[in-house]
């Protein structure tokens, strides 16, 4: 803060450096962009020169802009004063910029900053307003400098709570200056910049966010100025990010119709451009071990559930409706529950409290291998005690309907968790379930979670289902429901594959196990080779012979067929017609497997 | 309560079936006509039923019933979902035909039973064999028994095949069936009925010319669903016999759902049922909502608690406040006295309803024929308006009265006659006077008519004068005079009478069409919580999700979550934060960025005191929380894994908040 003002010359230098940097950076980038950016560059350089000429003039203008800015800040800062811990980010939220890649980080830092404001709201507010104009220039110098040479410093600032407000202030001021010169670059290249930053030193990543957030603020300013000052510069920025939505500032003032059309535009904007700007970072670079399901579960157990009291209260509200549900079920309606949060526990509670004495069937729709057929089977076999099979689900359904119609004393409660799950959402299965539920003595309670779940049903099905909708937002985590999702991108635990591997191999002969081991070992040896095609059959045969595992190529083939039947290996024909063998399991699992095998032996 | 609801339901069902019957009767006539068609072509009836698919089931059921009773015992109802192939279709057809034949014959037709048991190859020939054997049998074996019915059924009753939803049949199956059956039309008199939801053009677009030329199509239009609805409303709501009533808003909701969502009378009835259930469930005093006689009995057996409940009703309080002080005390303390009063009040309410309906109809007669329809064409619109508030204070009422004052005589007379009919048919006792009065009006009109004849004679004569004087100037002068005289002239007798009539109607309306809210004890019979109904019938799951994610404070009443509109704080549940962050992204989302953004937010909440020492463990927990939140979002359908780029997910929704 107490930076000497005598750094005016330094400031000029500082101003120049980012331009150069960016130039260099752009030079690396091949292709069309260079030309475009160069065009922009010249513009900005011109501007820069102009700026040098009338620097005093500019300063006055800056102060003016800053005043503007203080007003804006004041608005931001007032919010937390008014209601404890709220967000000043509302305008940012409704505000969407073409460069989406860094947007998330911005919002994150935005959200993260707020407690700093609310910790000492008055503290931050008063000095800001009073000390604004005198300090601004020095602040700005400092910021520029910091940004240029030492981002870690910035990071350290962020850590210090005392100076947090200052940080925010700096960021704003900093952006203010930056935007006047290198707006074009920053608005299009933040992620590349960040990548560059991130590449040499992984732990600089957190700073990159701050640079990003700066650029965001800048962007906001950008908009402001675009409307007021420059018109010539708008075009290059536009060409760069072709499908730019109209600036939101104006949109907000427009009528609803515009909003509608805007929505449509947004859709096409999101889907028209084949190229999507996202950063190239992958999880592997994060040096973080992947969590498997068990550790995930344990970790989540450790983390306390937020707002447990409120959630409990919500649940109690829903539970008070149980008897009503019961009545309505008996009157021929079926009940569907929707809303955020797992409704499994709620339904379980309903079951245990009211359905103890009666025949009921619980269907876990989220289970990946559930089918309508299994539901129908469990009805016919366990409820109706019918032994025998049916040639089609339709026949089975007919049989069930007949039985239920004949015997009016039969009653069945069906609870379906996640009626909209992958397996049950098909048209035919919904049709069958709907017909089932239309029986007067079958009472159905189901829950749906997917946002598009109601699209499953057309008019005819809806009338068969005869739904009554109940909103039961519970906010409780979907523990069971998500545990079966195989595509969990983050964890990808191989535990299932591993266990199946060992189980299958247990049942095989010693020789067969040896064969598999050989293949696995060979694959692991080549794991660093990205274009590893697999082990060719001939080589494999040779190796097996040497290890005395097979005596003829026929026996090996027989073994391989067995593996293939259990989906343990995959064969591929190469370009030269040679058969290659692969184990379709990822390396870590394979290593685990081999270790386990070693233990067993 | 349960019993009552069941009763109500039965009532509905009766009504509905009655409706269908009346509707299908007109169809039956026409089908008979098609049956008589004898030609190489297959006689076909195409029923255009409209878009309210859900109601079709009932229509078809009643239709087949009617057909079975009157024309032929052999009817098969086929639905598209049962017939994925021609084989299934034939099997279904055979099964239905043979089953129903067993039912009709009711003899131990061993052949028939055996046939169906054996499940012989389902083919047209076997069908024909079966048909011949059946018809022969009925002819030869049991002539005496069949004699009575043969008057109804002909010698060879046709086989009617109904395709319920023609549009959803696979065209190939349909074509094959038609071609095959046209080969056998001589041996097997087949009649097809297509149920069509869209437009009759669909037949030609579904079937090529070579196939459709085999059909002899006759088109029938069923009644529109709106008419069904008005009948239902008339039967359910506009009667005094049915004790349960709908409030204005509830009715509006139901009608809106009908008009804007599905056009389904069945759904309307479902909504009505729900209203009944809700009312009886939520209103403890709804025990009194039954027929007047029962209600009186029940009043006597009210417990003290229930009496207290009644005392708490706002309408009853208003009533008490209007009474003398001594009576007030008695009402509030003595249960027995209260019961008496309640009985009286209930009776009042009943009478009020009776009168209400007939006056409403009467008013409808007047307003429905006025130009521009100030109260709409349907009586339900008028009913809504009357329920809402005092109808005579509305602008529409003003304008309609003014318009009514300009009606011509013949219209007015017919209207009055209609009103008289309405009042006579209504059971109310108070209407004797009104009927008399109206009749009086009528006779006066007749008198006027007679007078008018004379007047006409009179008025003819000056015209004659006019013709005599061909002078232009004089003509102008006389015309002006005539005009003057007409303007200055007092209202004619007819006009006076018209005014009287309108005023009288007005007074009737003011007397009887008081909105129900002003009536004491209206809470017992009126159901008014429209929001509940809307929530259950016309739910908006996406909006619920959206508010839960965007504004968790709506559900979790924690001060930390409270925020001004649209934005959330960083203390929100994980899934809300993750959702919020993902809104800022484009089509693809980088998981690493997302995770980092998330951890920034979460770390900020935990505060700076979470230092680097324990950061490793904290990180893991945050990571786990992130995983959970992301997979929850995936379950909700906001994102899906993408193969386009490593560690990316695709967004499935677009647009910011």
């Amino acid at each position: 803060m107490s930076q000497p003002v005598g750094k005016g010359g330094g400031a000029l230098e500082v101003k120049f450096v980012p331009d150069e940097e960016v130039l260099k950076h752009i030079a690396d980038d091949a292709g069309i962009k260079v030309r475009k950016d160069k065009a922009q560059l010249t513009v900005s350089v011109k501007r820069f020169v102009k700026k040098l000429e009338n620097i005093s003039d500019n300063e006055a203008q800056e102060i003016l802009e800053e005043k503007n800015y203080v007003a804006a800040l004041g608005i931001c800062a007032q919010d937390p004063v008014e209601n404890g811990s709220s967000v000043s980010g509302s305008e940012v939220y409704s505000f969407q910029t073409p460069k989406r890649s860094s947007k998330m980080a911005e919002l994150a830092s935005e959200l993260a900053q707020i407690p700093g404001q609310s910790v000492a709201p008055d503290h931050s507010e008063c000095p800001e307003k009073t000390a604004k104009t005198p300090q601004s220039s020095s602040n700005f110098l400092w910021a520029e400098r910091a940004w240029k040479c030492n981002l870690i410093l910035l990071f350290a600032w962020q850590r210090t709570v005392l100076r947090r407000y200052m940080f925010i202030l700096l960021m704003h001021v900093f952006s203010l200056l930056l935007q006047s010169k290198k707006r074009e670059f920053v608005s299009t290249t933040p992620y590349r910049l960040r990548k560059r930053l991130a590449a040499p030193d992984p732990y600089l990543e957190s700073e990159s966010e701050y640079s990003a957030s700066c650029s965001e603020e800048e962007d906001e300013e950008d908009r402001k100025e675009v409307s007021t000052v420059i018109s010539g510069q708008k075009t290059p920025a536009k060409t760069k990010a072709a499908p730019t939505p109209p600036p939101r500032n104006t949109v907000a003032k427009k009528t609803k119709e515009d909003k509608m059309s805007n929505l449509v535009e947004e859709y096409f904007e999101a889907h028209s451009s084949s190229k999507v700007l996202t950063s190239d970072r992958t999880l592997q670079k994060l040096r973080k071990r992947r969590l498997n399901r068990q550790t995930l579960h344990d970790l989540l157990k450790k983390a306390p559930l937020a707002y447990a009291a409120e959630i409990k209260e919500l649940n109690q509200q829903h539970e008070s409706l149980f008897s009503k549900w019961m009545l309505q079920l008996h009157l021929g309606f079926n009940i569907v529950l929707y809303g955020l949060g797992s409704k499994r526990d709620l339904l379980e509670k309903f079951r245990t409290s009211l359905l103890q004495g009666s025949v009921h069937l619980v269907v876990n729709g989220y289970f990946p291998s559930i089918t309508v057929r299994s539901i129908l089977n469990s009805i016919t076999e366990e409820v109706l005690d019918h032994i025998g099979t049916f040639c089609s689900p339709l026949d089975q359904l007919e049989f069930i309907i007949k039985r239920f119609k004949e015997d009016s004393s039969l009653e069945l409660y069906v609870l379906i968790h996640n009626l909209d799950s992958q397996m049950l959402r098909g048209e035919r299965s919904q049709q069958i379930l709907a017909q089932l539920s239309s029986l007067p003595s079958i009472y159905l309670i189901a829950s749906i979670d997917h946002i598009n779940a109601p699209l499953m049903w057309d008019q005819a099905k809806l009338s068969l289902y005869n739904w009554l909708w109940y909103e039961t937002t519970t906010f409780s985590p979907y523990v069971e429901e998500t545990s079966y999702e195989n595509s969990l991108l983050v964890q990808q635990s191989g535990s299932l594959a591993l266990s199946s591997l060992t189980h299958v191999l247990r049942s095989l002969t010693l020789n067969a196990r040896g064969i598999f081991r050989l293949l696995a070992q060979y694959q692991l040896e080549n794991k660093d080779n990205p274009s590893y095609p697999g082990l060719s059959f001939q080589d494999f045969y040779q190796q097996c012979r040497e290890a005395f595992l097979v005596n003829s190529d026929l026996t090996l083939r027989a073994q391989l067929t067995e593996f293939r039947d259990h989906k343990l290996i995959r064969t591929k024909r190469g370009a030269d017609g040679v058969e290659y063998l692969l184990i379709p399991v990822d390396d870590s699992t394979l290593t685990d497997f081999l270790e386990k095998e070693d233990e067993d032996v | 309560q349960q019993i009552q609801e069941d009763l109500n339901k039965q009532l509905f069902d009766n009504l509905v079936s009655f409706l269908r019957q009346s509707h299908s009767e007109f169809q039956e006539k026409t089908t008979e006509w098609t049956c008589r068609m004898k030609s190489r072509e297959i006689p076909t009836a195409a029923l255009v039923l409209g878009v309210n698919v859900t109601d079709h089931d009932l229509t078809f059921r009643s239709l087949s019933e009617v057909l079975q009773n009157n024309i032929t015992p052999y009817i098969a109802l086929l639905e598209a979902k049962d017939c994925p192939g021609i084989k299934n279709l034939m099997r279904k057809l055979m099964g239905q035909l043979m089953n129903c034949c067993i039912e009709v014959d009711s003899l131990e037709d061993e052949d028939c039973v055996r046939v169906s048991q054996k499940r012989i190859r389902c083919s047209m020939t076997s069908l024909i064999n079966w048909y011949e054997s059946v018809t022969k049998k009925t002819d030869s074996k049991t002539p005496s028994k069949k004699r009575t019915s043969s008057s109804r059924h002909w010698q060879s009753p046709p086989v009617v095949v109904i395709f319920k939803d023609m549009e959803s049949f696979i065209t190939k199956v349909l074509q094959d069936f038609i071609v095959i059956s046209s080969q056998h039309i001589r041996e097997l008199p087949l009649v097809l009925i297509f149920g069509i939801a869209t437009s009759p053009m669909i037949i030609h677009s579904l079937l090529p010319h070579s196939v459709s030329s085999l059909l002899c199509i006759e088109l029938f239009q069923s009644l529109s669903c709106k008419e069904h609805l008005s009948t239902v409303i008339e039967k359910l709501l506009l009667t005094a016999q049915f004790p349960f009533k709908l409030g204005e808003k509830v009715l509006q909701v139901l009608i809106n759902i009908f008009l804007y969502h599905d056009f389904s009378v069945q759904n309307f009835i479902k909504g009505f049922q729900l209203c009944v259930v809700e009312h009886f469930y939520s209103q403890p005093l709804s025990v009194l909502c039954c027929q007047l006689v029962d209600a009186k009995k029940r009043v006597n057996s009210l417990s003290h608690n229930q009496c207290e409940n009644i005392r708490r009703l706002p309408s009853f309080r208003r009533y008490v406040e209007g009474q003398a002080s001594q009576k007030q005390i008695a009402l509030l303390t003595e249960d027995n006295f209260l019961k008496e009063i309640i009985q009286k009040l209930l009776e009042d309410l009943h009478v009020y309803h009776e009168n209400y309906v007939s006056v409403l109809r009467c008013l409808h007669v007047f307003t429905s024929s006025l130009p521009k329809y100030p109260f709409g064409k349907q009586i339900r619109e008028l009913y809504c308006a009357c329920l809402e508030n005092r109808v005579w204070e509305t602008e529409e009422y003003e304008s309609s009265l003014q318009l009514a004052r300009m009606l011509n005589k013949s219209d007015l007379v017919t209207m009055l006659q209609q009103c008289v009919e309405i009042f006579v048919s209504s059971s109310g006792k108070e209407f004797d006077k009104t009927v008399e009065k109206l009749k009086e009006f009528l006779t006066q009109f007749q008198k006027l008519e007679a007078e008018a004849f004379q007047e006409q004679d009179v008025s003819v004569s000056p015209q004659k004068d006019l013709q005599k004087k061909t002078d232009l100037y004089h003509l102008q002068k006389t015309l002006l005079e005539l005009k003057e005289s007409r303007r200055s002239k007092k209202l004619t007798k007819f006009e006076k009478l018209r005014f009287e009539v309108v005023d009288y109607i007005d007074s009737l309306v003011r007397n009887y069409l008081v909105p129900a809210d002003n009536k004491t004890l209206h809470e017992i019979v009126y159901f008014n919580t429209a929001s509940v109904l809307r929530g259950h019938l016309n739910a908006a799951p996406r909006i619920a999700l959206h508010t839960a994610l965007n504004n968790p404070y709506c559900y979790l009443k924690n001060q930390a979550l409270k925020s001004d509109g649209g934005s959330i704080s960083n203390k929100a549940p994980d899934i809300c934060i993750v959702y919020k962050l993902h809104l800022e992204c484009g089509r693809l989302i980088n998981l690493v960025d997302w995770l980092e953004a998330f951890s920034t937010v979460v770390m900020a909440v935990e505060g700076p005191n979470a230092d680097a020492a324990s950061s490793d463990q904290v990180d893991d927990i945050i990571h786990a929380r992130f995983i959970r939140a992301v997979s929850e979002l995936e379950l909700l359908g906001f994102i899906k894994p993408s193969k386009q780029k490593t560690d990316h997910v695709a967004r499935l929704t677009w647009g910011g908040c």
Side-chain angles (χ1 to χ4, degrees), chain A residues 500-541:
Chain A
S500 66
L501 264 185
T502 46
H503 273 288
V504 171
L505 283 196
R506 285 268 160 76
S507 61
L508 293 177
T509 61
L510 210 66
N511 271 3
R513 265 191 262 177
I515 293 171
F516 192 78
R517 260 179 87 96
L518 261 182
L519 190 58
Q521 271 163 357
Y522 188 78
Q523 187 162 334
L524 279 183
E525 278 163 25
N526 285 301
K527 69 178 171 191
D528 295 330
N529 179 7
S531 58
Y532 167 68
L535 183 55
S536 74
F537 182 77
Q538 280 307 322
D539 293 348
F540 193 34
Y541 175 58

Side-chain angles (χ1 to χ4, degrees), chain A residues 353-366:
Chain A
S353 60
L354 286 177
L355 299 184
Q356 272 315 320
S358 43
V359 187
H360 56 262
L361 175 74
V362 180
V363 179
N364 293 325
Y366 49 81

Side-chain angles (χ1 to χ4, degrees), chain A residues 15 63 98 117 143 166 261 320 328 365 413 434 468 506 512 533-534 578 588:
Chain A
K15 275 178 191 168
I63 288 166
Q117 279 184 339
M166 202 177 77
S261 67
S320 65
Q328 285 171 343
Y413 295 86
L468 283 187
R506 285 268 160 76
V578 183
S588 56

Side-chain angles (χ1 to χ4, degrees), chain B residues 143-166:
Chain B
S144 54
K145 266 200 169 179
K146 275 281 155 180
R147 184 126 308 160
T148 46
S149 57
S150 63
S151 56
R152 285 194 312 186
H153 306 313
W154 314 312
Q155 214 60 16
S156 54
V159 174
V160 178
V161 181
I162 302 177
F163 294 90
K164 272 191 187 171
D165 36 1
M166 194 214 177

Side-chain angles (χ1 to χ4, degrees), chain B residues 50 153 181 218 448:
Chain B
H153 306 313
S181 47
E218 191 75 10
L448 264 181

